[in-house]
Amino acid sequence: AFRAAARFVGSVACLSPPMKFSTKLACLVAALAAADAVSVSIDRSQQVKARRFRNLLKSHSLRATTNAMAELFPFYHTSDAISDELKRLAGTCPGMTLQTVSERNIDVVTIRAPGASPTNKNFLLFGEHARELISPESGLHLIKSLCGETDLAERAKAILQDSEFQIVVNGNPVSRRKVETGDFCLRVSPTGVDLNRNWDEHWQPDAVFSASDTNPGPKPFSEPETQAFKELVTKYQPTTFLTIHSGTRGMYMPWAFDMQHLASRNEPQMMEILRKLDKDHCQCPFGAAGREVGYSCPGTCLDWVYDELKTPYAFAFEIYVDSAEDDDLKSRWEEKMAADAFIQTESHLGHSHFKDLFEAHPTDFVQLNSKRSRGKTQFDCFAQFNPSDADKFQRVVENWSAAYLDMSELIVANLKKGVGNSTGVVSTSV
């Protein structure tokens, strides 16, 4: 069955003698997942054997080796490698400081160009969910850009004249280390809590879906990670907040907790920034998440920072989905937007106009009760949340690093004109 499966996807490389057998299995599962997206003409008996092999793997909680990610996807950084890179950069990057906070050893980078007088203070939170490996990778690429080590160096240097950054690069490092060993579906903290449901903003004691993925914890800010995030962002008092996720592509603003209340403070300014960024970097759903799609998101960092700290600009980006879904997501979104002149006139994505789109493409902020992550193998999870080849990986981190810089520049322009820097609280019921 193993040989038939290998022939099924043409993955002779998975049979290489130097590989450990567990690594061969991991390699083959990834290849089988990739083959689902293409039409393969093979002998029917081989196909039956291959599918039997696939089902056998699905019936077990397959784990690769303790170095699964490094062996299968060597272009990703381990958590230790991320920390080592940050330490190296701290010794060479002008205006960069590095601190480690919490019992979870969370690295925090602050970059402010020497002699600059920034108008915009950006707080970026990467890696709340462990399986979203690409999120911290894009954060690391952004830091390298700000330190002059990528093709974005000159643009980043100009941005730093008016913007400074505080960046949590890897917000869930303990659980991420488990993901790096092959537990590619793991989302939550070491105590089983969803860190993006543990903030004290319309927090609810019960998980909206399965407690294994969206457990809000015993009380708000019960976790060392969210306690650290709260302390950091409160002390920093940003003018811009951004949290970065993956699993689909989308660009969001408050509110996430309930479609009954739409964020009005700076709503036109935030929507216009999302519209501009979306055109250049995503071509995906953008706007405010709402409950009308059937999924409330209580207890998120997005809503807490916007409401509690009165941060003028607060966003959440979802930066990757498997290309098999990506094309459909883009085409269906274009159809939606072309169908009529809707263009966010309702100011949120919870409108029934978008219901079937989010039925097929659930996000961390907009999801339907009928759409759950069931029956996924570890490598199905990896493919949904992270690029599985080096070229795509590089395109993603470069594109989104540029988006983070563009976002900051757009907000600086508004702040300098006195547009959208209000901290007054206004809510609109619908």
Side-chain angles (χ1 to χ4, degrees):
F2 186 96
R3 287 192 295 272
R7 288 194 296 271
F8 173 58
V9 292
S11 295
V12 293
C14 295
L15 304 177
S16 302
M19 280 190 183
K20 297 177 182 178
F21 185 70
S22 58
T23 306
K24 292 180 182 180
L25 289 177
C27 174
L28 189 55
V29 171
L32 284 167
D36 282 338
V38 298
S39 175
V40 182
S41 177
I42 62 170
D43 177 82
R44 181 168 179 78
S45 63
Q46 291 183 13
Q47 185 177 20
V48 170
K49 290 179 181 179
R51 297 197 183 285
R52 185 180 302 139
F53 180 78
R54 188 204 311 273
N55 292 335
L56 176 64
L57 293 176
K58 283 186 176 181
S59 68
H60 296 280
S61 296
L62 177 68
R63 299 293 184 269
T65 69
T66 56
N67 298 313
M69 186 187 74
E71 292 184 9
L72 291 171
F73 311 104
F75 41 93
Y76 282 84
H77 295 79
T78 64
S79 293
D80 289 339
I82 290 175
S83 292
D84 289 344
E85 275 289 273
L86 296 178
K87 291 173 185 175
R88 178 188 67 80
L89 288 165
T92 61
C93 182
M96 173 177 164
T97 60
L98 174 64
Q99 61 176 319
T100 301
V101 301
S102 169
E103 65 193 63
R104 302 296 196 211
N105 294 319
I106 297 170
D107 290 326
V108 184
V109 169
T110 304
I111 300 178
R112 178 175 175 146
S117 300
T119 303
N120 186 23
K121 299 178 69 177
N122 300 273
F123 189 99
L124 281 70
L125 175 54
F126 296 90
E128 281 182 291
H129 295 144
R131 65 193 177 190
E132 297 164 13
L133 300 169
I134 193 62
S135 171
E137 296 289 350
S138 73
L140 180 59
H141 190 273
L142 172 64
I143 293 169
K144 288 182 176 181
S145 300
L146 293 169
C147 291
E149 293 194 358
T150 76
D151 291 341
L152 293 169
E154 288 302 314
R155 175 151 179 70
K157 183 178 179 180
I159 295 293
L160 282 170
Q161 296 308 301
D162 294 306
S163 292
E164 63 177 85
F165 294 81
Q166 187 163 101
I167 302 171
V168 176
V169 189
N170 185 13
N172 192 358
V174 177
S175 288
R176 181 185 164 107
R177 285 185 172 88
K178 294 181 180 179
V179 174
E180 291 162 10
T181 68
D183 195 356
F184 294 138
C185 292
L186 180 64
R187 168 184 167 104
V188 293
S189 74
T191 56
V193 172
D194 182 346
L195 298 179
N196 201 31
R197 299 295 183 272
N198 189 236
W199 295 68
D200 194 11
E201 183 69 28
H202 295 269
W203 179 88
Q204 295 180 7
D206 299 316
V208 177
F209 285 160
S210 167
S212 63
D213 266 358
T214 59
N215 173 19
K219 62 181 180 179
F221 296 119
S222 61
E223 304 309 297
E225 296 89 348
T226 51
Q227 292 168 16
F229 303 156
K230 176 187 176 183
E231 182 177 353
L232 286 166
V233 73
T234 301
K235 183 178 180 180
Y236 192 64
Q237 289 293 309
T239 47
T240 300
F241 175 82
L242 174 63
T243 176
I244 297 90
H245 296 267
S246 66
T248 189
R249 288 188 303 115
M251 310 178 78
Y252 307 109
M253 52 180 276
W255 300 106
F257 75 88
D258 192 340
M259 63 92 45
Q260 296 299 320
H261 299 88
L262 308 177
S264 292
R265 176 168 49 85
N266 289 351
E267 182 272 329
Q269 291 79 23
M270 287 193 288
M271 189 69 72
E272 183 60 23
I273 285 170
L274 290 183
R275 191 188 314 277
K276 291 177 179 178
L277 294 174
D278 184 83
K279 179 181 177 182
D280 293 337
H281 298 285
C282 196
Q283 298 179 8
C284 62
F286 67 92
R291 193 172 182 175
E292 189 173 320
V293 288
Y295 183 36
S296 174
C297 293
T300 66
C301 59
L302 174 69
D303 287 353
W304 188 89
V305 171
Y306 178 79
D307 191 26
E308 185 69 22
L309 300 185
K310 307 300 183 286
T311 299
Y313 296 89
F315 300 115
F317 292 174
E318 301 217 43
I319 65 173
Y320 179 79
V321 69
D322 179 51
S323 58
E325 298 182 36
D326 185 68
D327 290 343
D328 183 48
L329 178 62
K330 179 180 176 181
S331 63
R332 293 186 65 202
W333 178 249
E334 289 173 342
E335 290 172 7
K336 283 288 183 185
M337 301 302 280
D340 56 31
F342 194 82
I343 314 296
Q344 297 298 318
T345 56
E346 294 292 333
S347 300
H348 68 104
L349 295 174
H351 194 277
S352 58
H353 183 81
F354 301 108
K355 183 180 174 76
D356 64 333
L357 184 139
F358 288 110
E359 175 78 39
H361 302 283
T363 82
D364 188 47
F365 293 91
V366 183
Q367 200 171 67
L368 294 179
N369 290 327
S370 59
K371 186 72 175 180
R372 311 281 181 95
S373 297
R374 293 173 175 170
K376 287 185 178 293
T377 68
Q378 297 300 325
F379 294 91
D380 290 335
C381 285
F382 189 97
Q384 178 182 349
F385 294 97
N386 306 287
S388 55
D389 69 74
D391 290 342
K392 186 180 295 182
F393 170 95
Q394 194 62 30
R395 289 195 300 272
V396 171
V397 297
E398 289 176 355
N399 174 67
W400 286 100
S401 290
Y404 308 148
L405 295 175
D406 288 351
M407 175 193 71
S408 183
E409 183 177 53
L410 290 168
I411 291 171
V412 164
N414 280 358
L415 293 175
K416 284 187 172 182
K417 292 184 294 186
V419 177
N421 57 2
S422 168
T423 58
V425 181
V426 181
S427 292
T428 303
S429 295
V430 295

